[in-house]
């Protein structure tokens, strides 16, 4: 303020701007600016001398530019809302808008000045919000636009690779990984590797609306696909897709993609890679250099900021890796099984669901069957040859459980509990060279007599039938029909199995 007072005193004494500049060392244009303010104030030198420094600063050091009337500006300003709205119409370019402007203002601005003022006006209604990211809050993910490449060692064929980038919002710690595609399996693999790279789980994972994560995009509530939703649930986090056509929602990862081109892509391009593992190992080397480099204008790196601020805020990792599940629908057949079509193998469900259409979700090791949202059956997935039906006994109806459990060991165990003669007789039935199921029926029929005639009579009947050398259900039935002291003649003995012992259950046959 002392300098300004000196300039005004010299001016009041009749000195010119050149002399004042030489005396004070102030540029002539600056002196002219102060004198212009003095003239506009319409105050005398005495009045200004009486002002305080603060009052003088408000008079001479105001930041607003001196407004000079500009006719072209005055003609353009009322047209700007109309010109901006014209650009929203299909096929209308800024060139056409400028042509329209010239029809309204024939002596208007040149093209470059016009576009500069139009762009400034349009940006006034589009303010940007400076996002403040909380520690442990979000992990932003995206694929790069540019690709990396593998070269086949045998044929020299070049194949393109997708490159995945993840970044934590607070510390900006970055993860980069190359994969073969953007399919959901590769996308989820990348997200899982990123979580393990960070050693923890943020509150939300923020992808854009790629199909690997989102089934139906929405401005307000996007619908995640089942696999990505299951992955997020497995790690106790949330999928939080950005709004469509809003790249600023994930500006951090957009910036990380651009930085990766210079810090990683430029280094990788200097070498030829034949395997994906080798390429990803080198990416991690260059990534470590990037994460440990000091941020522009700061005295700390991304890694330092992560270790000091964000690492302890991440949720713990699930100790088990996520196993991707595939879904299909299948109707329950009359045997109480659903078909896993990829293996052409059947898995049991509770028999009460016969005829219903159920959802199957399966991985490489497990298979779950859902009735609506309820799990009704869980199986270990059988990979191999031979076994076509995988059955859990508890899924069968009561009348089927006994038959389903038929096997030689079961029959021998039951017969041994009755008596040695019965066990020996059952063993000879099982040894017959006929279809196994037929032998099982004969064994079941013979052993069922124990409940009706008692163990002693069945033991005696088996001894007598063994003496005849005949081993089937029919001979035991014939023997037990007779009186205990009567031995039937050989020509009265049937040498074939009867259809079913249930047809001769009358009490008059068995005393």
């Amino acid at each position: 303020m002392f300098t300004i007072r000196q300039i005004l005193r010299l001016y009041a004494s009749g000195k010119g701007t050149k002399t004042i500049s030489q005396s004070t060392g102030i540029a002539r244009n600056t002196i002219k600016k102060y004198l212009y303010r003095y003239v506009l104030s319409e105050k005398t030198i005495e009045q200004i001398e009486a002002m305080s420094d603060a009052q003088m600063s408000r008079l001479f050091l105001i930041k607003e530019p001196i407004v000079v009337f500009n006719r072209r500006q005055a003609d353009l300003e009322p047209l700007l809302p109309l010109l901006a709205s014209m650009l929203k119409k299909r096929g209308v370019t800024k060139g056409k808008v400028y042509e329209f402007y010239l029809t309204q203002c024939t002596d208007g601005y040149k093209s470059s000045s016009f576009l500069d003022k139009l762009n400034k006006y349009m940006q006034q209604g589009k303010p940007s919000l400076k996002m403040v990211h909380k520690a442990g809050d979000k992990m932003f993910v995206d694929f790069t636009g540019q690709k990396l490449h593998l070269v086949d060692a045998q044929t020299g064929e070049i194949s393109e690779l997708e490159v995945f980038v993840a970044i934590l919002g607070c510390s900006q710690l970055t993860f980069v990984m190359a994969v073969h595609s953007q399919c959901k399996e590769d996308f989820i693999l990348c997200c899982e590797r990123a979580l393990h790279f960070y050693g923890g789980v943020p509150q939300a994972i923020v992808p854009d609306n790629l199909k690997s994560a989102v089934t139906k995009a929405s401005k307000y509530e996007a619908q995640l696909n089942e696999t990505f939703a299951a992955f997020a649930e497995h790690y106790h986090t949330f999928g939080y897709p950005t709004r469509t056509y809003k790249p600023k929602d994930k500006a951090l990862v957009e910036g990380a993609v651009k930085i990766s081109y210079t810090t990683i892509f430029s280094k990788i391009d200097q070498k030829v890679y034949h395997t994906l593992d080798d390429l990803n190992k080198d990416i991690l080397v260059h990534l470590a250099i990037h994460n440990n480099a000091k941020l522009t204008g700061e005295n700390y790196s991304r890694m330092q900021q992560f270790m000091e601020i964000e690492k302890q805020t991440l949720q713990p990792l699930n100790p088990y890796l996520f196993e991707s599940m595939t879904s299909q629908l299948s109707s329950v057949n009359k045997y109480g099984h659903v078909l896993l079509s990829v293996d052409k193998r059947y898995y049991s469900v509770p028999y009460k669901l016969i005829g219903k259409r159920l959802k199957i979700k399966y991985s490489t090791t497990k298979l779950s069957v859902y009735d609506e949202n309820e799990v009704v059956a869980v199986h270990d997935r059988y990979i191999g040859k031979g076994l076509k039906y995988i059955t859990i006994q508890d899924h069968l109806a009561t009348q089927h459980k006994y038959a389903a459990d038929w096997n030689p060991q079961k029959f021998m165990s039951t017969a041994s509990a009755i008596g040695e003669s019965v066990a020996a007789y059952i063993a000879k039935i099982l040894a017959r060279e006929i279809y196994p199921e037929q032998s099982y029926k004969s064994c079941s029929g013979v052993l069922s007599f124990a409940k009706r005639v008692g163990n002693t009579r069945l033991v005696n009947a088996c001894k007598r039938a063994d003496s005849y050398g005949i081993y089937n259900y029919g001979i035991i039935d014939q023997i037990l029909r007779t009186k205990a002291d009567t031995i039937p003649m050989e020509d009265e003995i049937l040498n074939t199995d009867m259809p079913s012992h249930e047809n001769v259950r009358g009490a008059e046959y068995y005393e």
Side-chain angles (χ1 to χ4, degrees):
M1 294 303 104
F2 171 78
T3 304
I4 295 175
R5 292 178 195 274
Q6 186 181 7
I7 291 171
L8 294 177
R9 292 190 197 105
L10 291 170
Y11 178 71
S13 65
K15 304 295 182 183
T17 56
K18 185 175 181 180
T19 303
I20 295 172
S21 176
Q22 291 173 347
S23 301
T24 60
I26 305 299
R28 290 178 68 184
N29 286 337
T30 305
I31 292 171
K32 289 179 182 179
K33 182 183 72 173
Y34 290 146
L35 293 177
Y36 185 78
R37 301 282 186 196
Y38 164 67
V39 173
L40 289 178
S41 70
E42 297 181 350
K43 296 183 182 295
T44 64
I45 294 294
E46 289 76 15
Q47 289 175 323
I48 292 176
E49 286 284 0
M51 295 172 67
S52 66
D53 286 353
Q55 290 173 325
M56 284 188 64
S57 67
R58 287 193 290 272
L59 178 62
F60 289 97
L61 301 181
I62 56 175
K63 296 181 179 180
E64 290 80 3
I66 299 169
V67 178
V68 180
F69 177 75
N70 187 319
R71 182 182 54 78
R72 287 186 293 185
Q73 179 72 21
D75 292 341
L76 174 61
E77 283 184 352
L79 291 174
L80 286 173
L82 173 63
L83 299 177
S85 64
M86 289 175 62
L87 284 173
K88 297 179 180 179
K89 297 179 180 179
R90 183 181 299 179
V92 178
T93 64
K94 289 182 179 179
K96 291 183 178 180
V97 170
Y98 178 63
E99 291 174 2
F100 172 79
Y101 162 70
L102 290 180
T103 63
Q104 304 297 313
C105 305
T106 54
D107 192 26
Y109 286 108
K110 297 297 182 181
S111 175
S112 58
S113 298
F114 167 79
L115 293 177
D116 181 60
K117 295 184 183 303
L118 179 61
N119 290 335
K120 286 180 179 178
Y121 171 79
M122 294 176 66
Q123 288 301 319
Q124 289 176 4
K126 296 181 179 180
S128 295
L129 174 65
K130 174 64 176 177
M131 296 296 294
V132 178
H133 298 284
K134 298 178 182 178
D137 186 30
K138 293 184 179 71
M139 179 179 80
F140 298 87
V141 300
D142 198 7
F143 283 97
T144 64
Q146 298 181 26
K147 318 290 185 185
L148 291 178
H149 301 87
L150 285 182
V151 178
D152 190 289
Q154 303 297 325
T155 64
E157 181 182 358
I158 299 175
S159 57
E160 288 188 338
L161 296 175
E162 301 288 343
V163 182
F164 171 89
V165 178
I167 186 170
L168 291 177
C170 178
S171 64
Q172 299 184 38
L173 190 67
T174 307
F175 172 77
V176 179
M177 177 181 177
V179 286
H180 289 290
S181 70
Q182 291 190 23
C183 70
K184 65 182 178 182
E185 290 80 10
D186 282 340
F187 172 69
I188 289 173
L189 172 65
C190 290
C191 289
E192 188 168 50
R193 292 282 179 85
L195 295 180
H196 284 266
F197 176 79
Y198 296 130
V201 182
Q203 294 294 322
I205 299 174
V206 184
D208 58 10
N209 288 272
L210 74 167
K211 292 182 179 180
S212 303
V214 177
T215 300
K216 183 178 180 181
S218 170
K219 181 179 179 181
Y220 303 104
E221 190 171 344
Q223 182 178 342
L224 301 178
N225 68 50
E226 286 189 6
T227 307
F228 183 63
F231 167 78
E233 183 179 352
H234 179 81
Y235 281 101
H236 305 290
T237 185
F238 299 93
Y240 183 65
T242 61
R243 296 172 295 170
T244 52
Y245 305 109
K246 298 292 182 180
K248 287 187 178 181
D249 284 3
K250 53 182 181 66
L252 268 180
V253 73
E254 296 283 354
V257 166
K258 293 178 181 178
I259 293 172
S260 69
Y261 292 150
T262 57
T263 59
I264 295 175
F265 278 57
S266 60
K267 308 294 192 304
I268 295 296
D269 287 342
Q270 297 175 14
K271 184 178 176 181
V272 176
Y273 293 89
H274 301 298
T275 67
L276 185 60
D277 287 342
D278 289 343
L279 188 146
N280 277 322
K281 286 177 183 177
D282 279 5
I283 286 178
L284 289 177
V285 172
H286 301 306
L287 185 63
I289 296 172
H290 167 70
N291 283 327
N292 285 288
K294 295 286 192 280
L295 287 164
T296 304
E298 306 293 349
N299 61 353
Y300 55 82
S301 67
R302 294 173 176 83
M303 183 61 74
Q304 287 174 319
Q305 191 165 232
F306 171 74
M307 297 300 292
E308 294 174 6
I309 299 175
E310 194 156 25
K311 184 176 182 180
Q312 61 271 23
T313 64
L314 297 176
Q315 304 173 87
L317 288 165
N318 191 319
Y320 301 100
L321 293 176
F322 175 73
E323 195 167 16
S324 179
M325 303 288 284
T326 306
S327 300
Q328 73 158 77
L329 296 175
S330 179
S331 296
V332 185
N333 63 20
K334 63 181 181 180
Y335 306 114
H337 290 69
V338 290
L339 172 65
L340 182 62
S341 55
V342 68
D343 295 338
K344 296 183 180 180
R345 189 165 281 112
Y346 293 85
Y347 293 85
S348 66
V349 298
Y351 71 95
K352 293 182 180 179
L353 298 172
I354 290 174
K356 292 195 72 173
R357 192 164 178 80
L358 307 180
K359 176 181 283 189
I360 303 173
K361 290 186 176 181
Y362 61 93
S363 66
T364 55
T365 57
K366 293 286 184 182
L367 177 143
S368 300
V369 185
Y370 292 79
D371 180 15
E372 295 182 353
N373 293 319
E374 182 182 358
V375 178
V376 294
V378 177
H379 293 268
D380 290 329
R381 186 175 173 190
Y382 182 84
I383 305 296
K385 297 181 179 180
L387 193 59
K388 192 173 181 65
Y389 282 83
I390 292 87
T391 304
I392 296 176
Q393 297 299 312
D394 290 341
H395 290 163
L396 300 176
T398 305
Q399 65 269 28
H400 296 156
K401 289 181 181 179
Y402 179 74
D405 203 26
W406 281 358
N407 58 71
Q409 293 76 19
K410 178 178 175 62
F411 289 125
M412 290 302 299
S413 175
T414 305
S416 297
I418 298 172
E420 293 182 5
S421 299
V422 178
Y425 192 77
I426 290 295
K428 291 176 180 177
I429 292 178
L430 293 171
R432 293 184 305 176
E433 294 182 357
I434 61 173
Y435 184 60
E437 294 291 337
Q438 182 60 51
S439 294
Y440 295 162
K441 286 184 178 181
S442 295
C443 292
S444 179
V446 170
L447 295 174
S448 69
F449 285 121
K451 294 182 179 179
R452 287 172 279 172
V453 301
N455 291 353
T456 302
R457 289 200 65 191
L458 180 56
V459 168
N460 292 333
C462 287
K463 288 180 179 178
R464 188 172 299 176
D466 192 21
S467 68
Y468 299 145
I470 302 173
Y471 305 101
N472 56 43
Y473 164 80
I475 183 62
I476 301 296
D477 179 62
Q478 287 288 353
I479 291 172
L480 290 175
R481 284 169 184 260
T482 64
K483 299 296 183 180
D485 56 352
T486 304
I487 300 175
M489 299 300 293
E490 291 188 23
D491 58 355
E492 297 176 354
I493 296 173
L494 299 177
N495 195 25
T496 58
D497 281 344
M498 296 182 69
S500 173
H501 62 273
E502 293 182 355
N503 296 330
V504 288
R505 281 185 178 175
E508 65 273 19
Y509 295 116
Y510 311 109
E511 294 181 358

